[in-house]
Structures are given as structure tokens and as C-alpha cells.
């Protein structure tokens, strides 16, 4: 190749420049550089700012000829070229050449080779465009046993840039996980994988209102959303929040639990031995009684509970009076209502 380049370079200086550009990018691709290194090398070759943008993640890399990130607001690009992978445009590369343009032919060739190299980097290191991911990678990203270097590499391979926010969601669903992921995080990086009996969704944004309604039995989902920035801690929070989900509240954000989250830390034996929890267990075989109590505890209002249950408020009042006697709790008192709600929640956690 070098001998051929030498012979061709004697024919025309433009040909020599073109061959040098091609050889330059061939070398970069052999060295398996990442996108920042690719942009940095291109800026040095072009002697102006070079940029790379990936549509899927919104990631933008701009490097100046001195090898540093370009900090000034970008001027209009002097020339651009799309990055194409498998006949799909996945991003754009450009030059920000100030003043009169240089050799347009060489700029076009440089951008063509930069776009090809960027596509190769994305194909090699970037994520598959499907929402479903390798469960081993997802587990590595959220496991408390992973070191930070391994976690960062797993997230990079999944397609999450270091500067992107990350939300972890624990899901039980009859719908495919990729469908749920696409609904709650449209047009942004999102990955999903099954782990044991729980699905995991990693997403840069979570639109809680877009979860399919109805709960698992109705073909929807039950989900818990973690709040922490650290993926491993957020995963723990998401699983805890999932345990608090109910048919009436199928999606729970960990932040919304507040002090209720402490109930998840109560040992099972201690919860079973509690008199109020044991009383809830005794009425569990009566779905109507349990539903009435749950609705009343959720609303704190007799009339609101009656509306949701499609019953007359006097019928609900009679049910609650009987339930209160069974539980040994005065449900008309604030303290009694609090006891019933805590006992009902603790009972659910035991049976999760």
C-alpha cells in the first residue's frame, strides 16, 4: 500500500493528499480508537474543529486541533456528512472550518472516512439498536458486587454515555419488556433484560404516565422506579418500590414511599407476629372485605371509597364497621386508620 501511495503521489498533489487521508483513517481503525480519539485525530488532520453526533443518545463530541474539547458555541458547520450503519443514519460528522474553505475535495473525503470510521466504532463498541440487552451486561451494571470500572464498561457497551442520567426500573409484566421500555422512554437510550422473576429496564428518562395501565393480571405492568444516581443502589430501591405496588397503584416511585420504605426492612418473622398483621391475614380470604379496607386506607374518605367501589357510602360504612371489629381497630379514628394501613402494607410485603 505504501509503495502504491508513493507512486500515485508523484502524479498529483491532490491524489497524494487523498491517499494520505485514506491511510490516516485506515491506521485509526486498525488501532480501534474510540469516538473522542477519532474526533481529536480528525481535528488535528483538518486543522479545525471536528464534531461527531449520535442521534440515538444525543451524544455530541467536538474537538479542536490542539486536542482539547471545543468549548465555544459551535458555529455553523462548514461541511457535514451522515454516519450510516446498516443503511440507517445513526449520526452526523462535521467540520467547523473558519474563514474561506480549504480543499473542498479533501474535506469531503476526510468526512467520508470519518463517518465510516465512526460507524465502525459504534458497531464495535456501541449497543445493538434493539431494546433487549444481554442479561449478563445488565446484571454487571446494577450489581452491588461490580467494581466501578466494570460497571462503567458494561454501561458503555449497553449504550449509556457517562454524562447521561440513568434510571433503573424493576418490572413484572405480561407484556414484552422491550415494548414496555419503548413506551416509557421513547426515542432515548433504553435497555431491558429479564433477571430471575423480575424484568430490569435501564432508561435515560422514565415517563411514569406511559406505563401500560391495568396491572399484570389485566395485561399491564407492575413497576418500581429507583431514585438513586448509582445504578446498584437504584436497583435495590426499584425492587423495594416494586414490592409496594398494588393493583390500585401498579407503578411506585421509591421517592414516594418516604418512611414507608422502612417496612421493607422489617424481618418477616417480626411482621407475622404482629397482632395487626395477623388480623389482616385472617380477613385475606374475603376479597370484598380486603378491597374495601384497602380502598378506604388509600383514600381516607368514606365517600371517596364508596365512589371507587361503586357502592353506597352506607354499605361501605357497614363493611368497615364489621372489618374494624374483626381487626380490633377503630377505623374511624386517625390512629386506627394508620394502624390498618401499616398492617395491610406489611401483610402485602410478606406475601410479595
Amino acid at each position: 500500500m505504501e509503495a502504491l501511495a508513493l507512486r500515485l503521489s508523484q502524479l498529483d498533489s491532490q491524489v497524494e493528499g487523498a491517499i494520505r487521508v485514506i491511510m490516516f483513517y485506515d491506521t485509526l481503525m486498525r488501532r480501534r480508537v474510540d469516538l473522542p480519539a477519532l474526533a481529536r485525530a480528525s481535528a488535528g488532520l483538518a486543522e479545525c474543529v471536528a464534531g461527531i453526533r449520535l442521534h440515538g443518545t444525543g451524544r455530541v463530541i467536538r474537538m479542536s486541533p490542539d486536542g482539547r474539547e471545543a468549548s465555544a458555541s459551535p458555529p455553523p458547520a462548514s461541511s457535514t456528512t451522515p454516519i450510516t450503519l446498516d443503511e440507517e443514519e445513526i449520526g452526523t460528522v462535521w467540520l467547523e472550518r473558519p474563514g474561506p474553505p480549504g480543499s473542498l475535495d479533501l474535506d469531503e473525503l476526510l468526512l467520508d472516512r470519518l463517518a465510516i470510521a465512526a460507524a465502525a466504532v459504534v458497531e464495535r463498541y456501541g449497543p445493538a439498536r434493539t431494546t433487549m440487552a444481554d442479561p449478563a451486561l445488565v446484571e454487571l451494571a446494577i450489581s452491588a458486587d461490580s467494581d466501578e470500572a466494570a460497571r462503567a464498561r458494561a454501561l458503555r457497551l449497553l449504550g449509556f454515555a457517562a454524562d447521561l442520567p440513568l434510571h433503573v426500573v424493576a418490572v413484572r409484566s405480561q407484556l414484552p419488556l422491550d415494548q414496555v421500555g419503548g413506551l416509557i422512554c421513547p426515542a432515548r437510550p433504553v435497555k431491558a433484560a429479564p433477571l430471575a422473576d423480575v424484568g430490569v429496564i435501564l432508561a435515560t428518562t422514565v415517563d411514569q404516565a406511559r406505563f401500560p395501565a391495568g396491572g399484570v393480571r389485566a395485561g399491564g405492568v407492575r413497576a418500581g422506579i429507583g431514585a438513586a444516581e448509582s445504578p446498584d443502589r437504584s436497583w435495590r430501591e426499584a425492587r423495594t418500590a416494586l414490592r409496594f405496588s398494588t393493583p390500585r397503584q401498579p407503578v411506585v416511585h421509591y421517592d414516594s414511599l418516604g418512611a414507608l420504605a422502612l417496612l421493607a426492612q422489617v424481618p418477616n418473622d417480626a411482621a407475622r407476629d404482629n397482632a395487626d398483621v395477623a388480623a389482616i391475614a385472617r380477613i385475606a380470604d374475603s376479597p370484598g372485605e380486603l378491597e374495601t379496607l384497602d380502598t378506604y386506607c388509600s383514600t381516607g374518605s368514606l365517600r371517596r371509597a364508596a365512589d371507587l367501589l361503586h357502592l353506597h357510602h352506607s354499605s361501605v360504612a357497614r363493611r368497615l364497621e364489621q372489618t374494624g371489629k374483626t381487626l380490633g381497630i377503630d377505623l374511624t379514628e386517625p390512629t386506627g386508620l394508620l394502624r390498618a394501613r401499616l398492617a395491610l402494607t406489611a401483610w402485602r410485603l410478606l406475601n410479595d
Side-chain angles (χ1 to χ4, degrees):
M1 178 66 182
E2 291 180 359
L4 176 61
L6 179 62
R7 290 198 299 271
L8 290 175
S9 67
Q10 296 171 354
L11 299 177
D12 186 274
S13 60
Q14 189 79 356
V15 173
E16 178 184 3
I19 292 174
R20 290 185 182 279
V21 169
I22 293 171
M23 292 178 62
F24 179 83
Y25 282 100
D26 283 349
T27 300
L28 290 177
M29 292 172 72
R30 284 198 301 271
R31 291 178 178 174
R32 297 174 177 264
V33 298
D34 58 12
L35 291 178
L38 189 57
R40 185 179 297 111
S42 300
L45 179 63
E47 298 183 343
C48 69
V49 172
I52 301 173
R53 175 184 174 84
L54 298 181
H55 298 328
T57 63
R59 186 183 184 190
V60 176
I61 303 168
R62 294 174 61 244
M63 292 292 181
S64 58
D66 62 5
R68 301 177 182 178
E69 291 188 11
S71 57
S73 299
S78 56
S79 49
T80 64
T81 296
I83 304 171
T84 304
L85 182 61
D86 295 335
E87 300 183 355
E88 177 185 347
E89 183 177 324
I90 63 169
T92 308
V93 296
W94 70 89
L95 296 178
E96 300 170 15
R97 189 178 295 287
S103 170
L104 292 179
D105 289 341
L106 286 182
D107 275 3
E108 291 177 2
L109 177 61
L110 185 152
L111 286 174
D112 283 342
R113 298 298 297 182
L114 173 55
I116 292 171
V121 171
V122 172
E123 185 174 34
R124 183 182 301 121
Y125 299 115
R129 286 184 295 279
T130 177
T131 297
M132 295 305 294
D134 181 352
L137 271 182
V138 172
E139 187 169 14
L140 190 61
I142 62 177
S143 173
D145 297 328
S146 299
D147 60 60
E148 290 307 311
R151 192 189 319 281
R153 181 176 182 273
L155 290 172
R156 177 170 59 81
L157 291 174
L158 288 167
F160 297 100
D163 57 345
L164 286 177
L166 183 67
H167 302 273
V168 184
V169 185
V171 178
R172 286 198 177 97
S173 171
Q174 290 185 354
L175 297 175
L177 284 176
D178 57 343
Q179 183 177 336
V180 178
L183 286 171
I184 66 173
C185 184
R188 296 297 303 276
V190 56
K191 291 293 175 181
L195 288 184
D197 63 335
V198 179
V200 185
I201 295 177
L202 306 178
T204 48
T205 61
V206 175
D207 187 343
Q208 191 166 334
R210 292 178 63 90
F211 279 97
V216 177
R217 292 182 180 177
V221 303
R222 286 176 61 178
I225 305 171
E229 293 183 3
S230 171
D232 57 323
R233 183 178 175 187
S234 186
W235 170 235
R236 291 196 300 271
E237 293 177 349
R239 285 185 300 171
T240 297
L242 177 62
R243 295 182 64 194
F244 283 86
S245 65
T246 67
R248 190 173 302 282
Q249 188 180 5
V251 180
V252 177
H253 198 292
Y254 183 83
D255 271 351
S256 71
L257 292 174
L260 285 175
L262 295 173
L263 287 176
Q265 300 178 29
V266 176
N268 286 350
D269 288 344
R272 288 192 188 94
D273 290 342
N274 180 269
D276 288 351
V277 177
I280 293 291
R282 289 196 295 270
I283 68 169
D285 292 334
S286 176
E289 193 172 2
L290 197 64
E291 183 183 16
T292 301
L293 178 63
D294 177 35
T295 306
Y296 179 63
C297 287
S298 298
T299 62
S301 165
L302 189 64
R303 292 190 177 276
R304 178 60 180 153
D307 289 341
L308 292 175
L309 293 168
H310 305 292
L311 295 171
H312 194 275
H313 65 87
S314 60
S315 299
V316 174
R318 284 193 296 272
R319 285 190 183 184
L320 290 174
E321 183 181 3
Q322 180 59 44
T323 301
K325 291 178 180 179
T326 303
L327 299 177
I329 297 175
D330 185 353
L331 297 175
T332 63
E333 293 292 329
T335 301
L337 182 61
L338 177 61
R339 284 176 56 187
R341 185 182 180 193
L342 290 175
L344 187 59
T345 303
W347 175 80
R348 282 209 179 96
L349 293 176
L350 281 173
N351 292 276
D352 178 63

